[in-house]
Amino acid sequence: MAESMKVDARDTYCPGPLMELITYMKQADVGDTLELLSTDEGSAADVPEWVEKVGHELVRNEQIDGVWHITVRKAK
Amino acid sequence: MSNKLRIVCVSGTREKLQMAAMFASVAAATGDEVSVFLSMNALQYFVKDPSTEIPIEGTFGALLTEEGVPRFEQLFQQAVELGDTQLLPCSMALDVLKLHSDDLQPHLGQPTGLTRFLSDAEGAQVLTF
């Protein structure tokens, strides 16, 4: 069954949030979703760019109280 | 599609190596094939236990330390672990510094000369720091 997990990369700078996400992405199974928490504004644009380039699925990208919640589904 | 990225590091300052390491790690994470050529003043910071702390160029270098941004060594290592990345010491710089590949950090690759690097860089995007 597909699982979901949170990756807390708050208070790290670029490329910290992306690298954190990738570390957990490698361990995840296809279909799993990962929710990245980030306070880095650059990463809010750059992480979706990576997701598109690599071919995963961006489920959600929104800022709540200064924290971006970027949810990605592993597609391959 | 994977691209070829070649990064040439010749400066021995925190800011330059930080930027190079950021490019290397993000490109590796995207599946690009990355080689980083380390020469001139950059190579001395890739020996095991460097004797001197790398100098900073300006206020941004100080901020990197103050804000606890992960160091370039860590980002380069991540790039190697993540994917298709090689950190190549320049063979001429090793000779001039009287170093052997055993003196370098374990994640560094084979000493490489310019001829080999150039032929390997054919058709690649090249960045120099």
Side-chain angles (χ1 to χ4, degrees):
Chain A
M1 207 185 102
E3 292 184 19
S4 57
M5 71 172 295
K6 268 196 171 70
V7 179
D8 190 350
R10 284 177 289 181
D11 299 322
T12 66
Y13 293 97
C14 170
L18 176 63
M19 302 312 279
E20 286 274 318
L21 176 68
I22 288 160
T23 302
Y24 288 95
M25 206 71 170
K26 282 179 102 83
Q27 298 163 11
D29 293 319
V30 171
D32 288 354
T33 53
L34 286 91
E35 182 181 358
L36 177 69
L37 305 184
S38 167
T39 46
D40 177 53
E41 185 154 3
S43 296
D46 218 35
V47 170
E49 183 81 25
W50 175 81
V51 170
E52 192 188 335
K53 187 166 182 199
V54 176
H56 296 303
E57 184 194 340
L58 184 72
V59 179
R60 169 189 181 218
N61 182 11
E62 61 178 316
Q63 190 192 16
I64 303 166
D65 298 329
V67 178
W68 274 270
H69 296 248
I70 307 171
T71 306
V72 181
R73 183 174 292 116
K74 182 165 173 161
K76 58 182 191 179
Chain B
M1 196 189 85
S2 86
N3 297 310
K4 270 171 83 171
L5 178 65
R6 297 293 175 264
I7 299 174
V8 180
C9 294
V10 289
S11 305
T13 63
R14 173 98 201 257
E15 290 92 332
K16 291 249 167 54
L17 289 181
Q18 187 77 24
M19 199 68 234
M22 288 166 70
F23 274 116
S25 57
V26 172
T30 313
D32 291 350
E33 187 221 303
V34 183
S35 287
V36 184
F37 188 71
L38 303 164
S39 190
M40 302 292 160
N41 289 313
L43 184 62
Q44 60 190 308
Y45 299 104
F46 294 85
V47 297
K48 292 170 183 158
D49 304 317
S51 53
T52 50
E53 177 60 33
I54 190 162
I56 57 172
E57 289 177 5
T59 49
F60 203 92
L63 272 174
L64 288 172
T65 309
E66 217 175 283
E67 294 285 321
V69 175
R71 289 179 60 98
F72 62 90
E73 295 96 331
Q74 196 185 332
L75 289 173
F76 275 131
Q77 201 169 341
Q78 272 180 331
V80 171
E81 285 164 6
L82 263 177
D84 208 355
T85 300
Q86 289 186 303
L87 302 179
L88 304 172
C90 165
S91 50
M92 172 269 193
L94 282 174
D95 287 345
V96 172
L97 292 168
K98 302 191 174 27
L99 292 172
H100 296 285
S101 44
D102 294 353
D103 301 318
L104 301 172
Q105 292 164 15
H107 53 279
L108 265 72
Q110 284 297 311
T112 301
L114 284 177
T115 312
R116 174 133 165 235
F117 184 77
L118 278 174
S119 68
D120 180 58
E122 207 176 298
Q125 187 175 13
V126 182
L127 303 174
T128 303
F129 294 93

